[in-house]
Amino acid sequence: MDKDLQPRFEWLLRMGDTSLILAQRLGEWCGKGPALEEDMALTNTALDLLGQARLWLAYACEVEGAERDEDQLAFLRDSREFRNVLLVERPNSNYAHTLMRQFYFDAWHHLALRELEESADPRIGEIASKAVKEATYHLRRSSDLVVRLGDGTRQSHDMVQSAADSLWTYTGELFRNDEIDAPLAAEGIVFEPASLHERWSSYVNAVFAAATLQTPPSNTYMQLGGKQGVHSEHLGYLLAEMQVLQRTHQGAKW
Amino acid sequence: MKAEWPLWEIFIRSQHGLAHKHVGSLHAPDAEMAISNARDVYTRRNEGVSLWVVRSSEIVASSPDEKAALFDPARDKVYRHPTFFPIPEEVKNI
């Protein structure tokens, strides 16, 4: 791969892996949702994200120019080679937790895709234009549920607040600039992560206010490393389950 | 939890359809969520462009006991079908 293309390849892995890992996490709810309707809504979201992951990773393969396709990227890399943010690999825990993880992500994802629609790389712009419609619905749904459960019963409020607090430390990574984004942002190909933070915060604050939730303190220590390939133990278990078929029967197809 | 959610009847207008058609039912705590749930449960395969949701309890149904009195009289009145008139080609959707 051309050295100039390395940041773009890395950046595409970050986008693709983040969608892929969250899709896998949501897929774990399949057949176990708290109601049939919620079960289907969550797995629809999972499939939307899986479709987006495929587009980002397929483009990553083209940029890389090596002899591998998006399936090989998804199923034959190890944890250290994944570039997803830490937030999306957090375990599902209870439904409030799953929902809050989704809300933090959707609020970022929607902003990110809207920026990417204007990318100087037309291919990135096209993928973003397709994905942003799905993300708009995801955000509407997760925001609505956060308000309903936050402003619901005492129990639902406490569960959602506790999820908001414990996942907060994983939100900072979404807005951290590094040497991968910098050259791409300078060319107008991608946004600078930090540039989304203010809009994200004001959106989250507005939804939390409507949900009678407290926004966790802004000086919280933020966990970093996912985008550089340094993951929590949880990703290893997730990958073991997601990759077992291709690892056992390499190249197996439907 | 689900036992407390009321039942809703779902109607979808398809891409080229003219009227909303009943497709099934689902549970939801209120109308807004019934629309969301209907979108997620019933329009996953590009089925429609518009959704209606109606509380099942709001639907008034005819009684099966009255079936004979209500519907049998129409069975032998073939002259009520507009099949005895030629319909011009330009007239659509009759």
Side-chain angles (χ1 to χ4, degrees):
Chain A
M1 177 173 27
D2 190 330
K3 199 155 176 284
D4 292 347
L5 287 174
Q6 182 71 32
R8 195 172 318 201
F9 176 69
E10 283 285 321
W11 183 89
L12 287 166
L13 288 184
R14 290 176 178 183
M15 282 306 280
D17 288 347
T18 293
S19 290
L20 175 65
I21 299 304
L22 186 54
Q24 177 71 16
R25 272 283 182 245
L26 293 176
E28 291 171 14
W29 274 107
C30 186
K32 302 179 198 163
L36 176 145
E37 293 80 1
E38 277 302 316
D39 196 288
M40 299 213 37
L42 264 190
T43 42
N44 284 347
T45 305
L47 286 175
D48 288 346
L49 291 171
L50 189 64
Q52 294 176 21
R54 180 163 207 176
L55 295 172
W56 293 123
L57 294 179
Y59 186 35
C61 291
E62 281 176 44
V63 169
E64 187 186 36
E67 291 290 307
R68 57 177 173 174
D69 62 17
E70 68 271 25
D71 283 339
Q72 286 164 298
L73 280 185
F75 297 121
L76 300 178
R77 278 180 301 153
D78 288 323
S79 155
R80 199 68 180 76
E81 299 167 90
F82 271 77
R83 297 288 183 264
N84 58 282
V85 293
L86 297 174
L87 175 68
V88 298
E89 72 196 51
R90 300 307 302 160
N92 286 336
S93 181
N94 59 38
Y95 204 71
H97 229 82
T98 296
L99 173 65
M100 189 52 67
R101 184 184 63 203
Q102 195 65 31
F103 173 67
Y104 284 155
F105 171 78
D106 290 340
W108 170 83
H109 197 211
H110 183 250
L111 283 174
L113 292 172
R114 284 205 350 225
E115 292 287 318
L116 294 172
E117 280 191 284
E118 311 298 325
S119 171
D121 179 340
R123 185 71 180 276
I124 289 179
E126 283 163 22
I127 297 175
S129 296
K130 180 176 186 300
V132 77
K133 291 183 208 159
E134 296 169 341
T136 304
Y137 183 77
H138 300 164
L139 178 61
R140 204 184 93 183
R141 206 185 94 78
S142 57
S143 305
D144 181 56
L145 285 175
V146 164
V147 174
R148 284 168 183 278
L149 293 174
D151 192 19
T153 65
R154 178 79 177 269
Q155 186 188 10
S156 71
H157 173 275
D158 292 351
M159 286 178 75
V160 175
Q161 181 69 61
S162 148
D165 294 343
S166 68
L167 288 167
W168 186 250
T169 184
Y170 300 99
T171 58
E173 188 181 11
L174 294 166
F175 308 103
R176 193 61 67 103
N177 296 340
D178 70 5
E179 75 287 354
I180 299 295
D181 310 291
L184 298 171
E187 287 182 71
I189 294 171
V190 308
F191 53 87
E192 276 197 338
S195 69
L196 303 184
H197 188 249
E198 206 178 302
R199 277 174 286 165
W200 182 85
S201 295
S202 67
Y203 183 82
V204 168
N205 284 335
V207 172
F208 278 10
T212 71
L213 296 170
Q214 296 290 325
T215 306
S218 57
N219 62 356
T220 306
Y221 173 77
M222 289 295 170
Q223 301 282 345
L224 302 171
K227 292 198 282 190
Q228 287 74 35
V230 183
H231 295 280
S232 64
E233 67 184 289
H234 303 292
L235 185 66
Y237 292 101
L238 181 149
L239 293 180
E241 185 168 88
M242 184 175 89
Q243 298 181 333
V244 62
L245 194 131
Q246 282 297 326
R247 296 273 191 195
T248 318
H249 308 279
Q250 277 216 17
K253 287 194 187 325
W254 286 106
Chain B
M1 174 171 74
K2 190 169 170 180
E4 297 165 16
W5 290 0
L7 194 64
W8 300 76
E9 299 301 322
I10 312 303
F11 298 81
I12 296 179
R13 186 160 73 77
S14 63
Q15 305 281 350
H16 306 291
L18 292 164
H20 287 70
K21 280 208 171 85
H22 184 239
V23 294
S25 56
L26 50 72
H27 292 91
D30 64 20
E32 199 183 324
M33 274 201 76
I35 289 275
S36 281
N37 289 347
R39 181 263 189 197
D40 284 319
V41 176
Y42 288 111
T43 67
R44 306 169 72 231
R45 301 180 182 87
N46 201 22
E47 286 93 338
V49 293
S50 168
L51 278 169
W52 286 352
V53 298
V54 179
R55 277 283 284 268
S56 306
S57 58
E58 297 293 316
I59 290 185
V60 181
S62 61
S63 159
D65 298 342
E66 294 176 290
K67 195 169 146 232
L70 287 174
F71 307 116
D72 283 0
R75 288 174 68 178
D76 59 356
K77 297 183 174 61
V78 65
Y79 49 86
R80 286 180 181 169
H81 290 274
T83 49
F84 303 101
F85 310 95
I87 296 181
E89 288 250 330
E90 303 84 63
V91 179
K92 295 196 168 75
N93 304 323
I94 282 193

